[in-house]
Amino acid sequence: MKKNYKAAREYYTIDLLHIVKTLWQKIWLIVLSGVIAAGIGFSVSAFMIEPEYSASIMLYVNNSSFSLGNTSFSISSSEITAAQSLVKTYGEILNNRTTLERVIEKADVPYTYKQLKSKIQSGQSNNTEIMRVDVTTNDPYEAAKIANCIAEVLPVRISEIIDGASMEVVDAAVPNLEKVSPSITQYTAIGLILGVFISVCVFAVGALMDDTIHDEEYILQTYEYPILAKVPDLLGSNSKKYGYYNTKNKTSKNS
């Protein structure tokens, strides 16, 4: 019972002041680590990742009455919820394999339909009946070409599936030479934060694992043992009061 009681009483104390002191002493290494990591992030984003460009088209979803199978629909411009549902329906038709294969054939691009699907995003524009389609590739002119081919293929494809439905092109795509990714600023900031965080963790863990006795205060706080004696620093700055040892040291140096 006594052995178990002693085991239950054992605990580990974390000296936060010691950790803070250690981190402050290593502050220049922490800053240096952050700068190096930020430089790595900048280099990766600027030179190693191929930039991507985006082109967009805007299509007006016709709200006239139409029928889908045996069911008829009548959508007015005031029914925003219905318009949102219609845009989602058209988006599903756009991402269909048959539609994308027609776009690939018309645009003459070297993609499979799955690859092209990953490069296309569609959705409602500002809670209106306008559908926005974004195409992102590594070539700004290719992105614009694919987007404009979608503007030609999608209305035809929708008219084949939904009776009476139609779409009109509101805005065609033009090549946008401003890249959308990667963000050099974001990569640099992430590198800086990771560099500082990792270096702080390493030095903090090192301080926790350090069991070296640095001074008498460490013994009092860690072990709660009284200090019975202290060995003086005979060769340091306080060695003047130890005249014999100081004189002996100077004599040995002069000889």
Side-chain angles (χ1 to χ4, degrees):
M1 292 294 294
K2 291 184 178 180
K3 186 176 180 180
N4 294 335
Y5 177 74
K6 289 182 179 180
R9 289 286 303 272
E10 291 180 357
Y11 59 90
Y12 184 77
T13 303
I14 297 177
D15 190 354
L16 295 179
L17 183 59
H18 175 60
I19 296 176
V20 172
K21 288 181 179 179
T22 302
L23 294 178
W24 179 252
Q25 292 172 356
K26 305 291 186 180
I27 188 65
W28 68 275
L29 287 175
I30 295 174
V31 173
L32 181 61
S33 300
V35 171
I36 293 175
I40 293 174
F42 173 84
S43 301
V44 168
S45 61
F47 305 111
M48 299 181 64
I49 300 179
E50 192 173 1
E52 292 185 333
Y53 303 87
S54 181
S56 304
I57 57 171
M58 302 186 75
L59 303 168
Y60 175 74
V61 178
N62 193 344
N63 285 337
S64 60
S65 300
F66 63 91
S67 60
L68 180 60
N70 297 324
T71 306
S72 297
F73 297 89
S74 178
I75 304 177
S76 64
S77 58
S78 61
E79 295 174 329
I80 301 300
T81 303
Q84 291 176 348
S85 178
L86 195 58
V87 169
K88 291 180 180 179
T89 301
Y90 287 2
E92 290 298 320
I93 296 175
L94 169 61
N95 291 321
N96 182 266
R97 178 181 58 82
T98 303
T99 305
L100 293 180
E101 286 181 348
R102 291 186 185 182
V103 173
I104 292 171
E105 181 179 0
K106 190 173 186 62
D108 191 21
V109 290
Y111 299 122
T112 64
Y113 88 92
K114 289 184 177 180
Q115 290 174 335
L116 184 59
K117 181 179 179 180
S118 66
K119 299 178 183 299
I120 297 174
Q121 290 185 339
S122 62
Q124 191 180 29
S125 178
N126 297 325
N127 291 328
T128 63
E129 298 171 45
I130 295 177
M131 179 180 179
R132 179 187 177 98
V133 180
D134 298 319
V135 180
T136 304
T137 67
N138 300 121
D139 186 345
Y141 298 96
E142 182 184 70
K145 181 181 180 181
I146 294 174
N148 287 325
C149 288
I150 291 175
E152 296 179 18
V153 171
L154 184 58
V156 176
R157 176 71 172 150
I158 289 175
S159 64
E160 294 174 354
I161 299 174
I162 305 176
D163 294 335
S166 64
M167 299 183 74
E168 299 294 335
V169 178
V170 177
D171 195 9
V174 295
N176 183 9
L177 302 181
E178 183 178 354
K179 66 179 181 179
V180 294
S181 68
S183 173
I184 295 179
T185 303
Q186 184 178 6
Y187 272 73
T188 303
I190 291 175
L192 176 64
I193 294 172
L194 286 178
V196 172
F197 177 76
I198 293 174
S199 60
V200 167
C201 290
V202 169
F203 291 133
V205 171
L208 289 174
M209 301 297 293
D210 184 15
D211 57 357
T212 304
I213 298 176
H214 298 277
D215 50 29
E216 62 272 17
E217 183 180 354
Y218 176 84
I219 298 177
L220 292 173
Q221 293 181 354
T222 306
Y223 301 103
E224 298 181 356
Y225 292 155
I227 297 177
L228 302 179
K230 179 179 178 182
V231 178
D233 185 5
L234 302 180
L235 302 179
S237 58
N238 296 326
S239 61
K240 293 182 179 180
K241 56 184 178 180
Y242 305 101
Y244 171 77
Y245 295 99
N246 193 29
T247 304
K248 183 178 180 180
N249 184 42
K250 289 182 179 180
T251 305
S252 61
K253 288 183 178 180
N254 293 331
S255 61

